[in-house]
Amino acid sequence: RSWGADVPRDERDLALAGLPDAAQAAFLPLTQVFYERIGSRRFNSRATFDDPSVRQFFPSVAAYSDYYASLVDVLDRGNIRNNQPTQIELVGLSSTADGVLELSLRFVGRNDLPLRWWNATVLRTDEWQWKGGRWWVVPGKV
């Protein structure tokens, strides 16, 4: 299944409307790269936290640290084993402000609770902002 296939075309077009052509063209491919990089990785690991290929999507180390802490917390509370999502899906997209898009995401991973053989699922919302000619991940409040 392709990245963003669950998002209706009109919803995607409405969210991207008003953004510069470069922002529109780069958005879906860039978000796909980001979420592929964080998929199937342990988030309770120093090696994942120190990975520069993920940090480059954030305007500062502090912003990355906030996002990382928030994601670890959500995955842990969602009972995703080892804080390791095996699949991340883009299920919704909307514009919340000028140059800011909100992504609705589904994180899926093995269930960490005893005697539960099915997958655990976590729904999460991430923000991305077009600023300075590029897209940045905007961390939520921790």
Side-chain angles (χ1 to χ4, degrees), residues 19-129:
L19 290 166
D21 290 342
Q24 292 183 34
F27 183 72
L28 282 176
L30 188 65
T31 57
Q32 180 177 10
V33 166
F34 176 74
Y35 292 107
E36 282 176 353
R37 285 186 184 166
I38 68 172
S40 297
R41 299 186 76 162
R42 289 181 67 130
F43 275 85
N44 54 357
S45 159
R46 181 71 187 204
T48 300
F49 178 75
D50 288 337
D51 185 352
S53 75
V54 177
R55 281 190 182 194
Q56 71 179 340
F57 290 88
F58 298 84
S60 68
V61 173
Y64 175 64
S65 295
D66 288 349
Y67 179 86
Y68 191 90
S70 172
L71 182 58
V72 167
D73 184 56
V74 165
L75 295 175
D76 189 50
R77 283 187 289 121
N79 300 311
I80 292 185
R81 185 176 296 161
N82 298 323
N83 300 119
Q84 184 175 355
T86 55
Q87 184 178 359
I88 303 170
E89 302 165 355
L90 176 62
V91 295
L93 184 61
S94 62
S95 176
T96 60
D98 190 29
V100 178
L101 296 181
E102 192 172 84
L103 286 71
S104 298
L105 302 154
R106 181 181 303 119
F107 288 75
V108 179
R110 296 192 58 190
N111 201 316
D112 199 31
L113 294 174
L115 303 176
R116 297 197 175 58
W117 59 87
W118 55 87
N119 284 333
T121 301
V122 172
L123 299 177
R124 176 182 167 88
T125 301
D126 281 354
E127 278 190 3
W128 286 66
Q129 180 177 29

